Amino acid sequence: MTPAPPPPAAKDIGVPKDYDCAGTAIEVIYFEHRAILKFDGESVRLGPVAAASGARYQGWRADGVLIDFWGKGDTATLNVAGHDYPECTLIEAPVAAETEATSPAETPTTAPAPAVIRTYSARGNEPFWLVQADATEVRWSTADHVAADVFTGLTRTTRADGFALTATREGGALALSANATVCRDSMTGMPHPDTVVVQVDGREFTGCGGNPIDVLTPNAWTVAGIGGVAMSGRPPTMQFSADGQASGFAGCNRWTSSAVLSGEGLRIGMAAATRMACLDDTASKQESDFLAALGRVTRFDIDTNGDLLLKAGDETVIRATRTAVDAGQPEG
């Protein structure tokens, strides 16, 4: 059976992707189970279809024309009413904004220049809504209104428990409050770092914000249990990075692997480990059980104590506690 398209990486969900199809510009916004294609002045909702590779979506324009979009990494193909466009290439977003107003000549001496706000996304369900904020503006869209409303004049206020954004447009205003408490997407269960409340033109919406990887990366983690069995001796450790890597101490050896977040879960690749012999059978078994459990992980969660739960479906295969120790540098 031809597989269905894989879900997009979490960092891609809700983020507009611009493509150049030999001079024809299109924009695609990926969501967990669909995509929105902006093309020729229209926004078309697309659903996933089976594909041998990459992620393929199809949908009908308002006039009944079928649109087929097939993304394969940094390239894509676009077919509209049976007409194939030349290969589309992803246009990378410029990074110049990250260095604006940072030279001594441009930075006021009376007060430090505010840090540039990288793109921040928040979303909710029932009804679906999406917020995307950068350094200067906020884009607001819903399932029934995918052509985003743009709010400008953005201001940001930092609080001890999170931050707030406010922005305006003619005849309206948007206010976003992000509280730094773990929020689980109501459809996928994916943990996000912030619980978000958005007020738009007198209406209030609740949902989750931030990148799920930020739930994992700020801490190192010390394994407390594997399959419900408490650790003995020197426990394994884990640390995750924003570039999709995981590493730590397995019990006898150092280990490293890929750690890929999708729209619905977490996959940890086959771990590579050093080849030092374990000093006793207990440590050897504990390391073997840990590495095997990593390979079973399909998602993660955070419990009420702040412990990390790595799960295979609904089963917790690894429980870990936060630690200040660098998981990549085990004690000697």
Side-chain angles (χ1 to χ4, degrees):
M1 180 179 292
T2 305
K11 65 183 177 62
D12 292 331
I13 296 175
V15 178
K17 299 287 185 178
D18 294 316
Y19 292 85
D20 177 19
C21 306
T24 299
I26 64 172
E27 180 182 271
V28 179
I29 305 176
Y30 295 101
F31 299 97
E32 282 89 345
H33 303 294
R34 64 187 185 282
I36 293 174
L37 174 71
K38 296 185 178 182
F39 165 68
D40 198 23
E42 291 190 59
S43 296
V44 183
R45 300 175 69 176
L46 308 178
V49 296
S53 62
R56 190 173 185 178
Y57 300 85
Q58 291 182 349
W60 281 266
R61 214 164 54 185
D63 58 3
V65 167
L66 178 65
I67 294 180
D68 182 295
F69 176 82
W70 194 346
K72 300 179 180 181
D74 291 343
T75 63
T77 58
L78 175 67
N79 183 288
V80 178
H83 169 68
D84 284 318
Y85 281 76
E87 184 176 74
C88 307
T89 56
L90 181 66
I91 303 172
E92 296 293 341
V95 298
E98 298 185 5
T99 59
E100 289 179 358
T102 56
S103 68
E106 297 175 348
T107 303
T109 57
T110 55
V116 171
I117 303 171
R118 295 179 181 273
T119 300
Y120 180 84
S121 295
R123 62 186 61 83
N125 304 301
E126 298 180 358
F128 170 80
W129 59 267
L130 172 67
V131 160
Q132 296 168 289
D134 59 23
T136 60
E137 66 181 31
V138 178
R139 296 165 61 90
W140 165 262
S141 56
T142 64
D144 297 325
H145 185 60
V146 295
D149 292 328
V150 178
F151 293 76
T152 58
L154 185 150
T155 61
R156 177 186 176 111
T157 304
T158 301
R159 308 188 309 255
D161 64 348
F163 66 92
L165 301 177
T166 58
T168 59
R169 63 182 174 92
E170 185 177 356
L174 181 147
L176 180 150
S177 176
N179 188 285
T181 56
V182 172
C183 175
R184 293 163 187 83
D185 184 276
S186 61
M187 290 184 64
T188 67
M190 174 70 77
H192 291 69
D194 301 326
T195 299
V196 172
V197 177
V198 180
Q199 293 181 331
V200 182
D201 299 339
R203 297 171 296 164
E204 184 171 284
F205 301 83
T206 59
C208 300
N211 193 328
I213 193 66
D214 293 336
V215 179
L216 296 173
T217 55
N219 307 283
W221 304 91
T222 298
V223 175
I226 301 172
V229 178
M231 297 295 90
S232 63
R234 186 175 167 192
T237 61
M238 302 179 291
Q239 194 162 22
F240 299 87
S241 65
D243 62 355
Q245 298 295 313
S247 61
F249 174 67
C252 302
N253 292 277
R254 295 275 300 278
W255 68 276
T256 184
S257 178
S258 61
V260 179
L261 276 172
S262 70
E264 297 182 341
L266 170 68
R267 293 284 186 177
I268 299 176
M270 182 177 294
T274 54
R275 296 172 179 261
M276 294 180 61
C278 289
L279 298 179
D280 59 69
D281 292 342
T282 299
S284 178
K285 183 179 186 307
Q286 188 164 279
E287 175 171 282
S288 177
D289 290 345
F290 170 67
L291 295 176
L294 285 178
R296 297 182 59 202
V297 171
T298 59
R299 64 186 185 93
F300 78 97
D301 201 356
I302 303 293
D303 71 6
T304 55
N305 296 318
D307 290 351
L308 171 63
L309 309 179
L310 297 182
K311 292 177 168 285
D314 293 329
E315 177 190 358
T316 297
V317 295
I318 296 175
R319 175 184 293 272
T321 59
R322 301 173 192 267
T323 176
V325 176
D326 182 354
Q329 299 293 331
E331 299 171 1

